[in-house]
Amino acid sequence: MNAVRKIINDPVYGFITIDHPLILQIISHPYYQRLRNIHQMAFAHIVYPGAVHTRLHHSLGAYHLMCTALSELKSKQIPITEDEELGAKIAILLHDIGHGPFSHALENELIPGAHHEKISLCIMEALNEEFNGQLSTAIAIFTNKHSKPFLHQLVSGQLDVDRMDYLNRDSFFTGVAEGVIGYDRIIKMLAVKDGNLLVEEKAVYSIEKFLLARRLMYWQVYLHKTVIAAEMMVVKIIHRAKELIALGEEVNAASLTFDKMLKKPDEYRNIKAVLPAFCQLDDHDIMATIKNWIHHPDKILSLLCRSLIDRRLYKVKLQAEPIPGQTLEQARAAIMEKFGVGPEEAHYLVFTGVASNTTYNLTDERISILFKDGTIKDISEVDNALIQHNLSSKVKKHYICCMRYA
């Protein structure tokens, strides 16, 4: 096997080293390079102009943290073979490769029922076939079928390197200091017992900061009301286009793949059969299409597209209690009068929804703390811990979106 060593200059971590030919081949593959054209944070750049980093940036950052974590565990005499190390690195490198345009915002809109993790697995299996079975260990780790659970937990868990990177990276590019975490200390304190990932007690406060940073980033950035407005606007645009197509009206997308996906959705339900086509789709296809639809004769579609392009987004009001029916009806009546639309079209211009987030999910994989005496406790059970059971409940915020007309 020929020696290979490439370095990538990352603005967050400095130099990231690629030191295996298979990893370099994967990074060079068109399926992976497509991630350059998918925003990591969808429409967050509408609020935070610096948030234009991509899924490729994030996956490389998560790969770097995985390399650091594996080196740390090996230094603590945790048995990890070369094949397992390579598999874990590939698994994290490809963990988000199945994301479609604008990631979570359009996840269930383009191919209903096809979660990005399912598509990621399909792509990994396709690459495994292309690379003669060299991704088999990575797939076993990704699907949690490997004999060492801690390897999967590093890829996907309450304390995985995926979350460590996106919090660190997203706070860096948005400038939101509340998202900064002590990822280096957390990684230094990682441990393994009975095959599961744990954290030494010296990292308790760093873990709490990590969980609180995640909560703050969700409400301050990911679920910011203006981000919600932009994401819901692109969702409504897709809904309207599909409705017009169903009514037999002419609606053409800017790319062949996106056009077929809108007009013949049943052909895309078997993602394996259309994987090459799906992997040609990115944010540019959606935005080019939306720019074209500004001139569509349908009043609703053109209004929504023009509003998104010009950043005249829905006005959003968030509150703890559900939006009263009377409030929605009054807003709908005003919208119908202002824009001259009927009840069957008004729901594109005014509607309600719910945003939710959980700080620490006790029913999900837990964060276990290893004490010096060998005992293990969940982070929520540690004495004087900030993360307690009251923070495990889901926080919901109800919202109403209304097209601006003033």
Side-chain angles (χ1 to χ4, degrees), residues 30-141:
Y31 287 0
Y32 184 84
Q33 286 296 311
R34 159 183 165 273
L35 299 180
R36 289 184 183 276
N37 298 318
I38 296 179
H39 281 98
Q40 170 69 14
M41 299 178 68
F43 287 97
H45 62 275
I46 282 180
V47 181
Y48 301 97
V52 292
H53 54 300
T54 67
R55 287 277 161 191
L56 183 138
H57 291 137
H58 164 59
S59 65
L60 287 172
Y63 161 83
H64 172 73
L65 294 185
M66 176 64 84
C67 293
T68 306
L70 292 171
S71 295
E72 187 62 36
L73 292 176
K74 286 169 70 179
S75 74
K76 295 178 180 179
Q77 309 307 311
I78 306 299
I80 301 173
T81 68
E82 286 187 12
D83 181 61
E84 289 166 345
E85 183 173 2
L86 178 61
K89 290 177 181 179
I90 293 172
I92 196 63
L93 194 67
L94 300 178
H95 75 285
D96 273 349
I97 198 169
H99 269 296
F102 295 109
S103 304
H104 298 286
L106 292 180
E107 178 140 16
N108 291 309
E109 304 304 326
L110 299 178
I111 306 179
H115 192 270
H116 75 271
E117 289 186 351
K118 175 184 176 182
I119 301 175
S120 291
L121 180 58
C122 287
I123 293 174
M124 290 173 73
E125 289 172 343
L127 291 174
N128 191 39
E129 188 173 335
E130 186 173 333
F131 292 117
N132 302 314
Q134 293 184 81
L135 276 71
S136 297
T137 301
I139 291 171
I141 291 170

Side-chain angles (χ1 to χ4, degrees), residues 36 46 91 105 138 171 217 224-225 242 274 378 384 397:
R36 289 184 183 276
I46 282 180
S171 65
M217 284 292 285
H224 187 287
K225 66 178 184 177
K242 288 180 176 179
V274 294
D378 185 84
N384 302 315
K397 290 189 180 182

